[in-house]
């Protein structure tokens, strides 16, 4: 798969050389091309932003550099889907990550400031499929961190990138956003030593009884899902383990989750895997 990224901060994408994704890129399983938008800012000052029509705070990204950049990037490397991170986009889900992992080519357009002049996406839609996507309900300063998040979620689903295909399927939300784990988040995990600071690993995990272990893990997953994700638990109870946050149809909002009553949510960090030493 080929991934092009257009940004005013190419240095932001250093992390793509690290870890699982970095190794996949070294092998050529993913080809990353990071482009500096200013290469297409053709005025003397290489400006990429201007004041918003209608007034208001901040600056808006000018359409001309984006138009030139997208024309140039789309002209090489075969047909592509354009993905534009935006706080007002459709929610990015595991199901979308799985769909993107099957595309031969993605182009990500990273906005900054108050966003990109809306005509850029309109214009691009006349030539290629375009998705405006949000990675969550919080406000970032630009699209770059969203692209790092999405490329990691996509990259680890590519054939050969994750050592063990089963580990993707067993993930929270499941490998493709379908299947039995689609609406469950994972329970706690343990490694040696068996007793650490007086805390024992649940004995069932040492029992060798694989059916009992599978039951325990499923129960743990249900418990953590109920405590931390009442929205997912409600879907499970209704017998609709659909991918979370997935709208029924494009442009239609997903069903809102129930808020967590104070005191009902698990304590911060409980049953959530902490950072093991050396990572
Ligand atoms: C792209 C500019 C910042 C957006 C004013 C300051 C995604 N889940 C997400 N939250 N925020 C973004 C996101 C934010 C962005 C840009 C993505 C480009 N900003 C602007 C408009 C309002 N802020 C995002 N994916």
């Amino acid at each position: 798969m080929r991934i092009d990224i257009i940004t005013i901060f190419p240095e932001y994408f250093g992390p793509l050389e690290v870890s699982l994704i970095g190794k996949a890129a070294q092998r050529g399983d993913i080809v990353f091309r990071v482009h500096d938008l200013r290469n297409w800012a053709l005025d003397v000052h290489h400006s990429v932003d201007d004041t918003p029509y209608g007034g208001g705070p901040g600056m808006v990204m000018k359409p001309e550099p984006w138009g030139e950049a997208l024309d140039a990037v789309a002209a090489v490397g075969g047909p592509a889907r354009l993905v534009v991170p935006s706080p007002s986009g459709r929610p990015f889900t595991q199901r979308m990550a799985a769909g993107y992992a099957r595309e031969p080519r993605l182009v990500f357009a990273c906005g900054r400031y108050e966003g990109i002049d809306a005509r850029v996406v309109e214009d691009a839609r006349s030539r290629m499929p375009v998705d405006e996507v949000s990675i969550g309900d919080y406000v970032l300063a630009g699209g770059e961190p969203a692209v790092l998040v999405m490329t990691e979620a996509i990259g680890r689903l590519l054939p050969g990138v994750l050592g063990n295909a089963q580990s993707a399927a067993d993930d929270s939300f499941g490998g493709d956003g379908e299947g039995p784990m689609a609406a469950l988040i994972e329970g706690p995990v343990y490694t040696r030593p068996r007793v650490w600071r007086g805390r024992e690993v649940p004995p069932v995990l040492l029992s060798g009884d694989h059916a009992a272990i599978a039951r325990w893990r499923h129960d743990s997953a249900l418990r953590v899902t109920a405590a931390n994700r009442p929205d997912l638990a409600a879907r499970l109870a209704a017998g609709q383990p659909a991918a979370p946050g997935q709208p029924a149809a494009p442009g239609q909002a997903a069903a809102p989750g129930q808020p967590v009553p104070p005191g009902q949510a698990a304590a911060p960090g409980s049953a959530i895997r902490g950072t093991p030493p050396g990572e």
Side-chain angles (χ1 to χ4, degrees):
M1 148 177 259
R2 171 169 167 156
I3 294 179
D4 291 88
I5 300 167
I6 309 172
T7 173
I8 59 169
F9 296 125
E11 331 81 78
Y12 206 100
F13 295 93
L16 295 180
E17 288 172 27
V18 175
S19 190
L20 221 66
I21 304 297
K23 294 214 179 73
Q26 271 186 4
R27 288 195 305 268
D29 289 339
I30 316 177
V31 175
F32 287 108
R33 291 278 184 276
V34 181
H35 311 272
D36 189 338
L37 179 68
R38 287 194 200 274
N39 294 341
W40 294 280
L42 303 175
D43 68 311
V44 276
H45 297 110
H46 299 279
S47 50
V48 294
D49 62 325
D50 202 343
T51 51
Y53 272 122
M59 300 292 271
V60 172
M61 291 190 111
K62 294 158 60 67
E64 300 96 327
W66 276 111
E68 297 297 322
L70 290 169
D71 286 352
V73 170
V76 294
R81 173 177 297 274
L82 177 63
V83 181
V84 184
S86 161
S88 43
R90 291 168 53 209
F92 182 69
T93 61
Q94 187 63 27
R95 181 188 296 223
M96 277 165 88
Y100 287 167
R102 301 165 73 94
E103 298 268 353
R105 185 169 181 218
L106 297 172
V107 176
F108 288 99
C110 300
R112 281 268 148 184
Y113 314 113
E114 298 302 310
I116 305 171
D117 185 300
R119 293 168 293 180
V120 172
V121 160
E122 260 179 58
D123 177 60
R125 276 194 212 282
S126 70
R127 283 187 299 286
M128 58 180 109
V130 181
D131 295 340
E132 292 183 275
V133 175
S134 165
I135 63 160
D137 292 342
Y138 35 78
V139 183
L140 304 173
E144 286 82 2
V147 170
L148 286 178
V149 166
M150 289 190 270
T151 51
E152 179 136 327
I154 296 160
R156 64 185 289 286
L157 295 178
L158 295 176
V161 172
L162 205 64
N164 176 5
Q166 190 60 43
S167 41
D170 284 354
D171 282 338
S172 297
F173 310 121
D176 55 2
E178 317 282 338
M181 297 296 280
L184 278 182
I185 52 178
E186 283 167 286
V189 296
Y190 301 88
T191 186
R192 288 178 287 192
R194 189 182 67 77
V195 184
W196 178 78
R197 296 191 176 180
R199 298 167 189 277
E200 287 188 22
V201 170
V204 65
L205 297 178
L206 288 74
S207 69
D209 182 341
H210 298 297
I213 291 169
R215 271 197 308 275
W216 182 87
R217 286 193 170 141
H218 188 252
D219 289 354
S220 301
L222 284 174
R223 195 163 28 248
V224 176
T225 303
N228 293 354
R229 294 298 303 273
D231 56 325
L232 298 184
R235 275 178 190 279
L236 273 178
Q240 303 162 351
Q246 186 67 32
Q252 185 177 330
Q258 293 300 310
V260 186
Q264 187 169 310
S270 79
I272 292 178
R273 188 171 174 271
T275 311
E279 268 189 29

